[in-house]
């Protein structure tokens, strides 16, 4: 029933570094522009179409959430003598202890089971914005907070016996810090991938928007054992907003797909009207309401390198949701992207899980020409997860996806948590 597999880097067991020389890597983003030279026509926006279940959503997909209090410490507020804020902050800090940071998609209804066991720093992180798979066979992941702090961990599924309930466990490996331009603000999207030299790379970018029509990008070799990037090999690049509207965030998620000789940088850009224009939403509304369609909009796009000058295609647009997480689902044969897993963070309304089907547009006598996006289908990840976990749906703010690792074999085969 699942014909597509998530795209993920697979580090080789033996790696001989290739020195930087005259020829740059084919995945280099040094002095390049992601999001530029938009070609083709912009498709009309999709609304939310509900499905009973998503049979193409990969079970075991790892999810991160942007929970974690950014409020001042209790000590700071006590010194300021602000009793009201101190009481509010105590409640926020206590609630933080039960809010999900990392979770696993458990079934086709989009139910997410939070990972609560383990010593990984990611389980206590503040405002995780993205997550990448480092090694599928070893189930190693790196999640990144908005302040650029990286949290590397390994996931396990443990079931003491066939009669016991199992549990997910996250083991700490390392922590590191992504360097960003001075005054650049938050890190919004990151992605790990293997370049043509078999180096594990990390690319990261800022949010942009807020009257800025572009953002910056950085790319460098990544050492997951230390949690750091090679700052001597950082490549500087730029990313522009595909909509041309400075109220839209330049980037809200990113995935890199390497299918030689082509390298594709997939990303989403979002408009948050509650933030930029003061639009108001309530928990009673859902993503199909007129208010949601006016407040939240998203674009899915990709920039392609390796076939002449780089070009950008706008694949799909959405109304009523902020797509903050994507995962590329590729064909096991030709490694082409056949669908995209979509995760939204719709603030007080919660979060949806969707699948965007894709089909190559073919012209007789010419060949393939771009991609056609079929109607995406969605399930209510936040609401369905709330019924399972009793965590408020507004606290399932999806911010990143990564492919299932080897830990998920038992889950796919019906293990219990």
């Amino acid at each position: 029933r699942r014909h597509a597999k998530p795209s993920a880097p697979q580090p080789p067991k033996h790696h001989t570094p290739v020195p930087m020389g005259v020829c740059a890597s084919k995945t280099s983003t040094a002095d390049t522009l992601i999001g530029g030279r938009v070609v083709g026509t912009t498709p009309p926006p999709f609304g939310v179409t509900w499905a009973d279940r998503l049979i193409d959503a990969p079970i075991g997909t790892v999810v991160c959430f942007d929970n974690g209090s950014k409020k001042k410490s209790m000590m700071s507020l006590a010194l300021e003598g602000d009793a009201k804020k101190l009481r509010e902050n105590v409640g926020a800090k206590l609630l933080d202890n039960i809010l999900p940071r990392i979770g696993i998609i458990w079934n086709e209804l989009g139910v997410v089971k939070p990972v609560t066991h383990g010593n990984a720093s990611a389980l206590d992180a503040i405002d995780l914005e993205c997550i990448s798979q480092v090694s599928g066979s070893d189930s190693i992941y790196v999640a990144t907070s908005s302040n650029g702090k990286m949290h590397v961990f390994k996931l396990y599924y443990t079931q003491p016996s066939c009669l016991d309930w199992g549990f997910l466990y996250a083991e700490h490996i390392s922590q590191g810090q992504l360097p960003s331009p001075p005054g650049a603000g938050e890190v919004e999207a990151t992605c790990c991938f293997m370049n043509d030299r078999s180096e594990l790379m990390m690319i990261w970018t800022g949010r942009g928007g807020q009257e800025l029509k572009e953002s910056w990008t950085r790319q460098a070799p990544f050492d997951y054992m230390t949690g750091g990037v090679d700052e001597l090999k950082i490549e500087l690049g730029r990313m522009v907003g595909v909509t041309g509207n400075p109220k839209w965030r330049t980037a809200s998620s990113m995935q890199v797909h390497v299918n030689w000789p082509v390298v594709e940088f997939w990303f989403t850009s979002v408009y948050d009207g509650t933030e930029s224009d003061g639009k108001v939403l309530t928990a009673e509304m859902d993503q199909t309401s007129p208010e949601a369609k006016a407040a939240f909009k998203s674009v899915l796009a990709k920039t392609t390198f390796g076939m002449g000058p780089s070009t950008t295609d706008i694949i799909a647009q959405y109304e009523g949701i902020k797509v903050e997480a994507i995962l590329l689902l590729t064909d096991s044969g030709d490694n082409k992207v056949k669908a995209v897993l979509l995760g939204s963070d719709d603030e007080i309304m919660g979060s949806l899980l969707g699948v965007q089907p894709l089909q190559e547009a073919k012209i007789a006598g010419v060949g393939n020409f771009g991609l056609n996006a079929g109607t995406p289908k969605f399930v209510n990840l936040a609401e369905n997860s709330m019924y399972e976990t009793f965590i408020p749906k507004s606290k399932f703010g999806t911010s990143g996806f990564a492919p299932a690792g080897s830990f998920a074999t038992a889950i796919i085969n019906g293990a219990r948590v």
Side-chain angles (χ1 to χ4, degrees), residues 37-40 267 300-304 311-316 370-371:
R37 287 176 49 86
V38 176
V39 297
F267 59 94
L300 172 66
K302 70 178 177 73
T303 297
T304 303
T311 57
T312 299
D313 296 273
I314 294 179
I315 306 299
L371 292 169

Side-chain angles (χ1 to χ4, degrees), residues 42-50 248 269-273 279 281 286-300 316-323 342 344-346 349 352 356 375-376 378:
T42 300
F46 290 111
V48 171
T49 300
W50 299 110
W248 285 61
S269 177
V270 304
Y271 164 74
D272 184 345
K279 297 182 185 298
L281 298 172
D286 73 9
Q287 290 84 346
T288 64
S289 66
E291 294 85 354
K293 290 181 178 181
F296 294 153
K297 302 178 187 295
S298 303
V299 164
L300 172 66
Q317 295 192 92
Y318 310 96
E319 289 182 332
I321 57 174
K322 289 191 303 170
V323 178
L342 307 172
S344 71
D345 178 2
D346 306 321
M349 296 186 300
L352 304 186
Q356 173 63 72
T375 301
F378 294 88

